Amino acid sequence: MLIAIILGTVSLCVALTYRVAIDGSQAYTSVQQAIAECADGDTVLVYPGRYQENISFMGKNITLASLELTTGDLQYKYSTILDGDQNGSVILIINQERNVSIRGFTITNGTGTYYSNRDQSFGGGVNIALMQAPRKARITNCLITGNQATRGGGVFAGRCHLTLSGTTIKDNIAVIGGGMEVDNNYISEFTTTFD
């Protein structure tokens, strides 16, 4: 009986991988559908293609990655495209996530998340805000280009520990922080690390 309980508990702790392919060859054809089904610690693995979506992490502490994660082939960041379709931030991490990772994508055509109380849009490509401790966000081996917002055309990161590794941010537009704005409200406890 005790062994059955232990095995049952261990099986609940296993992280799952949710596979997305726009051509229907995997379980999901939409990145957002896969995120809706996953749980903390899971990975959403996206196959090559252009995904015209605005993606929310929905408060989940997950890894969102292309096949670059499993193969080490950097070419997947060019063939796996997250396209915001000029309809808001491409990726939203604004629901009290704690520890998230984005890896191996081109992130483009985002226009930011508009906040009427500030009359500004934030994070055309990636909008990170309102995280909870430990407040860790990692962007690895991505190309963030062709996005726009009032603040943080490519990336807006507010009050978090942000790590950027192997990531290129170029040709984005904003009034403040064309490529990126890091807004830590003058609190020194938060860090931004570039490899």
Side-chain angles (χ1 to χ4, degrees), residues 3 9 27 32 37 47 54 58 60-61 78 80 86-87 91 97 105 110 125 132 136 146 155 166 175 184 192:
I3 293 173
T9 303
Q32 193 62 61
E37 295 294 321
Y47 285 64
N54 301 93
M58 303 174 68
K60 298 177 181 182
N61 302 296
Y78 302 110
T80 314
Q86 299 290 309
N87 190 31
I91 299 175
E97 294 87 354
F105 294 101
Q132 288 188 342
K136 292 183 180 180
V155 176
V175 175
N184 286 333
T192 302

Side-chain angles (χ1 to χ4, degrees), residues 3-113:
I3 293 173
I5 292 171
I6 292 171
L7 290 176
T9 303
V10 170
S11 70
L12 292 175
C13 297
V14 174
L16 300 175
T17 299
Y18 294 77
R19 298 176 186 274
V20 182
I22 204 161
D23 65 4
S25 63
Q26 300 300 317
Y28 299 91
T29 57
S30 159
V31 175
Q32 193 62 61
Q33 288 173 339
I35 291 173
E37 295 294 321
C38 72
D40 284 355
D42 289 343
T43 298
V44 174
L45 190 63
V46 184
Y47 285 64
R50 180 177 287 267
Y51 297 82
Q52 289 188 311
E53 301 184 51
N54 301 93
I55 298 161
S56 170
F57 272 45
M58 303 174 68
K60 298 177 181 182
N61 302 296
I62 60 172
T63 296
L64 174 64
S66 73
L67 295 181
E68 181 274 331
L69 174 69
T70 57
T71 66
D73 185 346
L74 292 175
Q75 291 306 308
Y76 282 112
K77 77 177 177 182
Y78 302 110
S79 61
T80 314
I81 303 163
L82 303 178
D83 183 333
D85 199 27
Q86 299 290 309
N87 190 31
S89 299
V90 181
I91 299 175
L92 279 172
I93 302 168
I94 62 168
N95 294 295
Q96 301 183 338
E97 294 87 354
R98 295 180 310 278
N99 191 351
V100 298
S101 179
I102 302 165
R103 184 169 182 144
F105 294 101
T106 293
I107 300 169
T108 191
N109 284 331
T111 55
T113 303

